[in-house]
Amino acid sequence: MLQLRLSNFNVAYHDIPAIIDLSVTLTAATVNLLTGMIGAGKTSLIRALSGAIGHSGGMELSEGLQTFDRNCILQPLPRSFVSRDMSVMQFVQFGMIQNSWKLPHDAKERIHEALERSKLIAVAQSPISSLTPSQMRMLELAQLFVQQPRVILLDEPSTQLSSQSENSVLTCISKWVSDTQNIALVASDSSRAFAHVDRVLTLERGRLLNA
């Protein structure tokens, strides 16, 4: 079974603790909701897991005897990395070439599947500047899906969306997890998110209150 195991996981900014001795195991086919007040450490944990900031302690992603590297744990690219004139198709392709700068042999099929899963086939050739906020969130999911990660990390993926749009985004995440038997960790303070998750992890001042 796929597992992401953290043991005595710590994150600090200039010696100020942000995550303190966190130990938890996330398992296959689960959407895990990370909650807590502002400053609880949610974003710090997401950034550390993605490799954007350093950490101490144990972190292992494995399935059976196989251990995966950090490239299998992904979060959306910062939007500042891409041009607003880029098309939806190009935005998804950009996710596939980050490490190799070469499209894989099955790129066309993977892109079509990701856009279909995210309900964006009809706007594949449109510039991303023309998308609604909801479509842009779905496009960020498509860019993750096409890379075939084992774990996706999402920090407030439904912020400033209507309740209907938020439901669409969270439903898309939940269905991907169910279909692929992979793992999602979603940081959100939205009460509507609880209906779409399998497990709730609450942080307070960098410590995990429940698991």
Side-chain angles (χ1 to χ4, degrees):
M1 175 185 291
L2 181 68
Q3 293 185 325
L4 175 60
R5 290 185 294 274
L6 307 180
S7 56
N8 302 117
F9 195 88
N10 291 273
V11 179
Y13 297 95
H14 306 292
D15 297 325
I16 299 174
I19 298 295
I20 304 168
D21 291 333
L22 188 151
S23 294
V24 68
T25 298
L26 308 182
T27 57
T30 60
V31 180
N32 302 271
L33 178 64
L34 190 62
T35 67
M37 301 290 287
I38 293 174
K42 301 188 299 295
T43 297
S44 295
L45 180 57
I46 293 288
R47 295 187 67 208
L49 293 177
S50 73
I53 58 175
H55 72 273
S56 63
M59 173 180 170
E60 182 182 60
L61 178 65
S62 62
E63 186 172 24
L65 299 176
Q66 183 176 8
T67 300
F68 302 96
D69 62 29
R70 195 187 290 274
N71 289 332
C72 292
I73 304 175
L74 298 175
Q75 69 176 137
L77 285 173
R79 296 186 188 183
S80 58
F81 281 17
V82 297
S83 166
R84 297 290 290 171
D85 295 326
M86 183 178 287
S87 72
V88 166
M89 180 79 76
Q90 290 171 330
F91 185 90
V92 176
Q93 287 178 337
F94 188 67
M96 302 181 78
I97 63 173
Q98 289 179 69
N99 296 319
S100 67
W101 294 103
K102 180 181 179 181
L103 289 173
H105 67 90
D106 59 346
K108 183 176 180 181
E109 292 78 12
R110 284 165 58 176
I111 290 170
H112 185 274
E113 179 184 354
L115 291 175
E116 188 172 53
R117 183 180 291 279
S118 304
K119 297 177 170 47
L120 295 171
I121 289 289
V123 294
Q125 302 304 325
S126 302
I128 62 174
S129 58
S130 69
L131 301 184
T132 66
S134 176
Q135 287 175 320
M136 192 64 206
R137 297 290 166 79
M138 295 293 268
L139 180 57
E140 289 174 334
L141 292 180
Q143 192 189 68
L144 292 180
F145 297 157
V146 81
Q147 297 175 71
Q148 299 180 336
R150 303 312 305 269
V151 180
I152 58 173
L153 308 170
L154 299 154
D155 193 3
E156 301 291 352
S158 54
T159 299
Q160 299 181 336
L161 298 183
S162 68
S163 58
Q164 182 177 357
S165 296
E166 180 181 21
N167 182 69
S168 296
V169 170
L170 294 171
T171 297
C172 184
I173 296 167
S174 181
K175 189 174 188 310
W176 175 81
V177 164
S178 176
D179 290 347
T180 62
Q181 299 292 289
N182 289 327
I183 298 170
L185 179 61
V186 180
S188 177
D189 291 323
S190 171
S191 59
R192 289 187 288 265
F194 285 79
H196 299 270
V197 304
D198 304 292
R199 186 180 185 187
V200 177
L201 307 172
T202 303
L203 288 177
E204 182 176 298
R205 297 181 181 179
R207 296 185 183 275
L208 186 62
L209 295 185
N210 66 319

